[in-house]
């Protein structure tokens, strides 16, 4: 199916004309999630690396992202890196600390923030703390939680059992131990003092698996500790859970928690596309805002653990685009998984969700991670999509651009204007003295909407938004931004 977009000849949504950006120096950004191993290989060994990310910073910035989240970059026995064995170094397959420093410098010069995964619920079982702990070392024994008898969530070592909810390779740190907290503080200090802009907190639900309030309190400790070393440190936590629990986590004062209820095949975004329901989407806008309260929502469609956006949207390029359009009208920071902008797909098998970025030809991608069973690419690579104004990639670019052009889209207070037609939603967003109106046609039919204001941008999967006197004519799955 490669090339399907141009073969089907979708009509242009006008030109891909971008608006002038109006960026504010705060913690609101469009973020791009990168699995370094599979993104870009700079030295020809077939493994993606930090210099490869640096090479592609202009590409990322041109797409409209002003932040990147790097999945774990530390030495680890696993291909994915979520079991760290040295928090103060860079995975040698990814490069050197100098490469990381260069990446940071280059990113900051281009106006891109860099946050990294902070995986401190657990370490690798190969981390020296754990090997010392397992051997009974007096200092390190209490870095982990040991039991003489089996308990749920424990694995065996020698005659004892240790807490390790994810797997035996990932022993849970004893976060009640002040020495462990001291270690975590030093890790945060190390990376923040280099200029790292913040952290993505892995698995916050597991900090205290059986005590949610203590997990929230530990998130607060992390945020309070991070701002000692960078007052602007941006912290986004992974609480893979429901709306009410995410609301509780926001009480920690961390900037963001990923909005899992908006993501995946049954989330707000996919449901709004599939039901074509303005009311469903409007409810979700309120939910997304209410969860975050005074803090920053973090909506997304998918990540490295879920099905990819193109799969969630049934490989339909129009639905793939419209889903991203709906994501982009939420307040807060959107997170986009690398490759989604070209419609890459995965499978139920985790490694298949993390295959090489298709820059041009499939034979040029990075080596498949271990365990990959499918490396299917259903749309063109970056090189062709950049040149095709109707591509998924260029649709993503227009969506990111309006978020960067109108601060109110990411930060504004929302107000319902009209939803007389169940397929059409009109609402406003106000931030400071800026108000934009957003009109969305959820249906597969053309709609004429009565609305005043000046059309600033139409975002369409095909056709274009046309403005008459007091009316908008909107093609299927289209979004209009008016000032
Ligand atoms: Ca390499």
């Amino acid at each position: 199916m490669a090339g399907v977009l141009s073969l089907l000849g979708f009509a242009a949504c006008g030109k891909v004309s971008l608006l002038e950006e109006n960026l504010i120096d705060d913690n609101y950004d469009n973020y791009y999630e990168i699995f370094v191993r599979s993104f870009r290989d700079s030295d020809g060994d077939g493994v993606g690396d930090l210099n490869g990310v640096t090479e592609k910073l202009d590409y990322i910035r041109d797409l409209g992202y002003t932040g990147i989240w790097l999945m774990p970059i530390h030495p680890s026995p696993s291909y994915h890196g979520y079991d760290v064995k040295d928090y103060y170094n860079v995975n040698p397959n990814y490069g050197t600390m100098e490469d990381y420093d260069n990446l940071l410098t280059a990113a900051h010069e281009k106006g891109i923030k860099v946050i990294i995964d902070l995986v401190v619920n657990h370490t690798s079982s190969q981390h020296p703390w754990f090997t010392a702990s397992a051997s009974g070392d007096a200092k390190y024994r209490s870095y982990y939680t040991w039991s003489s008898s089996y308990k749920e969530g424990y694995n065996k070592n020698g005659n004892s059992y240790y807490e390790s909810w994810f797997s035996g390779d990932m022993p849970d740190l004893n976060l009640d131990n002040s020495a462990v907290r001291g270690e975590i503080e030093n890790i945060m200090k190390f990376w923040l003092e280099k200029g790292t802009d913040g952290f993505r907190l892995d698995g916050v639900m597991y900090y205290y698996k059986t005590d949610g309030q203590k997990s929230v309190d530990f998130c607060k400790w992390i945020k309070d500790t991070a701002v000692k070393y960078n007052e602007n440190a941006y912290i986004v936590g992974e609480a893979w859970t429901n709306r009410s629990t995410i609301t509780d986590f926001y009480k920690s004062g961390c900037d963001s928690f990923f909005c899992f209820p908006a993501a995946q095949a049954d989330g707000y975004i996919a449901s709004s596309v599939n039901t074509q329901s303005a009311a469903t989407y409007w409810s979700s806008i309120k939910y997304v805002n209410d969860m975050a309260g005074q803090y920053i929502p973090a909506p997304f469609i998918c990540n490295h653990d879920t099905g990819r956006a193109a799969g969630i949207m049934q490989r339909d390029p129009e639905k793939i685009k419209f889903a991203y359009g709906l994501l982009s009208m939420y307040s807060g920071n959107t997170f986009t998984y690398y490759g989604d902008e070209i419609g890459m797909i995965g499978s139920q098998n985790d490694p298949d969700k993390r295959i090489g970025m298709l820059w041009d030809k499939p034979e040029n991608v990075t080596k498949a991670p271990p365990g990959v069973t499918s490396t299917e690419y259903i749309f063109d690579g970056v090189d062709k999509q950049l040149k095709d104004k109707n591509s998924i990639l260029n649709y993503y670019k227009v969506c990111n651009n309006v978020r960067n052009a109108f601060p109110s889209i990411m930060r504004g207070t929302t107000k319902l204007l009209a939803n007389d037609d169940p397929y059409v939603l009109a609402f406003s967003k106000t931030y400071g003295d800026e108000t934009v109106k957003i009109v969305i046609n959820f249906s597969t039919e053309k709609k004429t909407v009565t609305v005043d204001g000046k059309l600033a941008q139409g975002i369409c999967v095909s056709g274009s938004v046309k403005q008459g006197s007091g009316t908008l004519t909107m093609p299927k799955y289209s979004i209009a931004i008016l000032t």
Side-chain angles (χ1 to χ4, degrees), residues 66-327:
T66 54
I68 56 176
W69 152 28
L70 302 178
M71 288 165 59
I73 58 170
H74 308 304
S76 168
S78 70
Y79 81 88
H80 50 70
Y82 280 101
D83 43 345
V84 177
K85 64 178 186 185
D86 180 357
Y87 290 95
Y88 295 97
N89 271 305
V90 165
N91 184 328
N93 293 319
Y94 291 3
T96 64
M97 192 62 82
E98 189 182 1
D99 296 340
Y100 179 76
D101 292 335
N102 289 339
L103 165 57
L104 264 188
T105 302
H108 290 164
E109 281 171 0
K110 297 172 196 298
I112 299 172
K113 289 174 189 155
V114 180
I115 67 171
I116 63 173
D117 241 294
L118 183 68
V119 187
V120 293
N121 170 70
H122 53 266
T123 67
S124 166
S125 58
Q126 295 180 27
H127 194 289
W129 298 339
F130 186 73
T131 51
S133 186
S135 68
D137 180 283
K139 177 180 175 191
Y140 291 105
R141 188 66 175 175
S142 59
Y143 271 41
Y144 300 84
T145 305
W146 293 90
S147 168
S148 56
S149 60
Y150 173 76
K151 296 181 186 176
E152 188 192 358
Y154 282 60
N155 280 281
K156 193 170 190 181
N157 181 282
N159 294 321
S160 303
Y161 298 83
Y162 58 97
E163 189 179 8
S164 46
W165 286 94
F166 282 101
S167 81
D169 299 331
M170 298 179 174
D172 282 55
L173 283 165
N174 173 13
L175 301 176
D176 279 333
N177 183 336
S178 60
V180 170
R181 292 199 182 203
E183 301 275 12
I184 294 170
E185 175 160 358
N186 286 337
I187 292 163
M188 287 196 279
K189 178 174 187 280
F190 178 81
W191 292 96
L192 290 170
E193 287 186 342
K194 281 185 170 293
T196 306
D197 296 285
F199 300 107
R200 177 264 186 189
L201 309 180
D202 182 58
V204 303
M205 302 277 289
Y206 291 82
Y207 285 159
Y208 293 89
K209 178 71 167 61
T210 56
D211 189 336
Q213 184 57 49
K214 285 188 78 173
S215 294
V216 172
D217 293 344
F218 189 69
C219 288
K220 179 178 190 306
W221 178 83
I222 286 185
K223 173 67 182 179
D224 291 347
T225 303
V227 296
K228 286 163 54 178
Y229 304 103
N230 174 354
E231 62 179 349
N232 299 315
Y234 175 68
I235 307 293
V236 53
E238 182 212 12
W240 193 338
T241 180
N242 57 34
R243 185 150 53 99
S244 71
T245 308
I246 291 172
T247 305
D248 288 341
F249 269 97
Y250 267 106
K251 292 171 186 159
S252 66
C254 286
D255 302 272
S256 297
F257 288 87
F258 292 115
C259 187
F260 278 90
Q264 299 186 262
D266 57 353
Y268 304 151
I269 296 167
S271 298
S272 299
V273 174
N274 290 328
T275 62
Q276 302 178 25
S277 166
T280 297
Y281 183 68
W282 175 246
S283 299
S284 77
I285 286 177
K286 288 188 291 186
Y287 295 151
V288 168
N289 289 339
D290 288 352
M291 267 180 267
Q294 64 178 300
Y295 301 104
I296 304 175
F300 68 106
I301 298 172
C302 69
N303 66 22
H304 61 280
D305 285 325
T306 73
R308 276 187 174 273
I312 290 167
M313 298 323 303
Q314 303 107 40
R315 305 185 178 201
D316 176 338
E318 295 193 335
K319 288 187 171 184
I320 295 167
K321 290 176 178 174
F322 190 45
Y324 195 76
L326 296 186
L327 169 70

Side-chain angles (χ1 to χ4, degrees), residues 428-459:
S428 65
K429 286 195 170 189
T430 300
Y431 179 74
D433 55 8
E434 177 186 278
T435 294
V436 296
K437 290 177 182 172
I438 299 170
V439 185
I440 305 176
N441 175 11
F442 289 85
S443 81
T444 52
E445 308 292 326
K446 185 164 73 180
K447 292 279 182 182
T448 300
V449 184
T450 303
V451 58
D452 57 358
K454 180 176 180 294
L455 180 65
Q457 182 65 284
I459 306 173

